Amino acid sequence: VASQDGGNTERAISRIREQGLHERLMLESDLLRALERQEFELHYQPQVSLTTGKVVGAEALVRWRHPERGLVSPALFLPLAEESGAIVPMGRWVLEAACDAAREWARLGFAHVRVGVNISGRQFKPESFVPMIRSVLSASGLPPSQLDLEVTESVTMQDIDTCAAMLRELRELGLTTSLDDFGTGYSSLTYLKRLPFHTLKIDQSFVRNSHVHPHNAAIVEAISQMGRQLGLQLIAEGVEAIEELNLVRAAGCHEMQGYYFSKPLPFNDFIALLVSGRILV
Ligand code: C2E
Ligand code: MG
Ligand code: MG
Ligand code: MG
């Protein structure tokens, strides 16, 4: 993930890594303090229908607006947040903020635009996860159908029966779930068959340069065909070029997300995009 500050944060982090544990613990407590000080913010990347060209959703992506380091990419602080457990309160904040955002879109006349929230394995615990989702949803008043939860395979690998039961409960609540970064992990077909996901997100590593690398194109096409036959919705991630767009469209993906249409946008810019009515052509 490219840093948005010309490499300053990367250099800062690698210096911290070199300095070892003491500095790292300081950074972990920094995360909790940053949460208290409301230094995290969400950017929203549009998800666009490949049949209508309209914006149908947005993935919420967390950033840290650090007082000295500027806007810090999640690749730089999420690993520490996961290790330290700070991801649990941070993840709840993300969910609350994303639900508030989607409520605001609905208030402005965009009730059909859903919000996607990334869930980490530390959050996805059988005892606590579904009750947490239920309580955030009811506090926010967001219709569950406007919320999509994205989990990666590593999250689902913990215990397949428990995971399947949790996904069913979430579906009964009325929200959708997506399997994120599909194709990069274990990608077991058994898991796919037994886990009741609504959507597969085809990982950007296959989508990107799929028009130059025939192997990538073949993988995108195979995943799409299989996904459709399993009755799943398909989102192609990381579409940067028109050639990639044409390829994922021809492969039968339902939606796209990527720099070709838009980078993740600050809240107000995403609303401006909705209001503009811009479509993918
Ligand atoms: P992800 O869920 O797979 O999100 C997609 C990432 O790809 C985002 O990076 C997005 O900015 C980037 N991206 C989208 N389109 C393109 C494109 O066309 N080209 C390229 N090169 N990149 C593209 P970001 O925002 O840096 O997030 C990285 C990862 O951090 C996410 O991957 C997700 O796993 C994690 N993450 C982000 N926000 C949260 C969060 O609130 N909670 C949790 N648990 N994880 C999060
Ligand atoms: Mg995601
Ligand atoms: Mg992804
Ligand atoms: Mg990812």
Side-chain angles (χ1 to χ4, degrees):
V1 177
S3 91
Q4 298 173 16
D5 64 359
N8 287 337
T9 41
E10 259 119 325
R11 281 192 292 276
I13 296 282
S14 60
R15 201 172 58 235
I16 283 161
R17 291 232 161 88
E18 281 154 24
Q19 285 168 1
L21 191 63
H22 179 64
E23 283 283 297
R24 273 180 65 177
L25 289 173
M26 283 183 53
L27 194 65
E28 287 164 8
S29 64
D30 283 354
L31 286 174
L32 292 172
R33 202 169 40 225
L35 194 59
E36 269 169 34
R37 292 183 182 165
Q38 311 206 29
E39 289 174 4
F40 293 105
E41 63 184 56
L42 297 181
H43 286 197
Y44 300 90
Q45 186 174 39
Q47 297 173 322
V48 185
S49 162
L50 285 169
T51 47
T52 66
K54 290 185 179 161
V55 175
V56 290
E59 178 173 6
L61 295 155
V62 71
R63 274 94 182 88
W64 182 0
R65 191 162 297 276
H66 194 284
E68 285 117 45
R69 295 172 195 160
L71 204 61
V72 182
S73 139
L76 296 176
F77 62 85
L78 280 180
L80 284 162
E82 304 254 358
E83 262 176 62
S84 65
I87 190 69
V88 175
M90 189 189 292
R92 187 183 173 115
W93 176 83
V94 167
L95 196 66
E96 290 168 347
C99 288
D100 285 350
R103 281 266 295 177
E104 182 61 10
W105 306 337
R107 202 184 61 77
L108 295 169
F110 304 98
H112 58 282
V113 177
R114 53 155 210 268
V115 70
V117 175
N118 291 286
I119 301 299
S120 112
R122 295 280 293 248
Q123 292 175 277
F124 201 75
K125 292 286 173 259
E127 354 35 274
S128 53
F129 186 69
V130 178
M132 189 274 286
I133 294 293
R134 213 182 254 123
S135 108
V136 170
L137 271 174
S138 77
S140 82
L142 184 74
S145 59
Q146 245 184 293
L147 178 64
D148 180 71
L149 301 178
E150 298 190 5
V151 303
T152 57
E153 280 171 288
S154 58
V155 171
T156 64
M157 300 256 312
Q158 296 164 354
D159 174 74
I160 188 162
D161 292 319
T162 310
C163 178
M166 289 170 72
L167 292 172
R168 273 194 300 275
E169 269 188 85
L170 293 168
R171 173 174 283 191
E172 279 156 21
L173 280 183
L175 48 87
T176 57
T177 52
S178 296
L179 184 51
D180 201 1
D181 301 346
F182 186 73
T184 55
Y186 191 57
S187 301
S188 156
L189 302 183
T190 308
Y191 278 71
L192 207 52
K193 192 184 85 175
R194 289 177 58 191
L195 295 173
F197 282 103
H198 180 268
T199 302
L200 270 194
K201 297 191 75 177
I202 304 176
D203 190 67
Q204 46 182 290
S205 58
F206 306 119
V207 174
R208 217 166 323 123
N209 295 320
S210 49
H211 56 301
V212 240
H213 298 301
H215 286 167
N216 281 8
I219 292 170
V220 169
E221 282 155 9
I223 294 175
S224 302
Q225 194 187 355
M226 180 192 63
R228 278 198 316 277
Q229 281 168 356
L230 290 171
L232 295 159
Q233 283 291 114
L234 292 157
I235 304 187
E237 292 194 90
V239 174
E240 292 185 356
I242 181 89
E243 294 86 355
E244 294 158 8
L245 175 69
N246 291 336
L247 194 139
V248 302
R249 193 182 257 146
C253 291
H254 303 98
E255 293 174 22
M256 67 75 82
Q257 180 181 344
Y259 293 174
Y260 179 74
F261 185 77
S262 173
K263 292 197 170 187
L265 300 170
F267 180 68
N268 288 332
D269 296 355
F270 179 67
I271 289 178
L273 174 74
L274 289 178
V275 170
S276 79
R278 197 185 129 208
I279 63 166
L280 174 75
V281 284

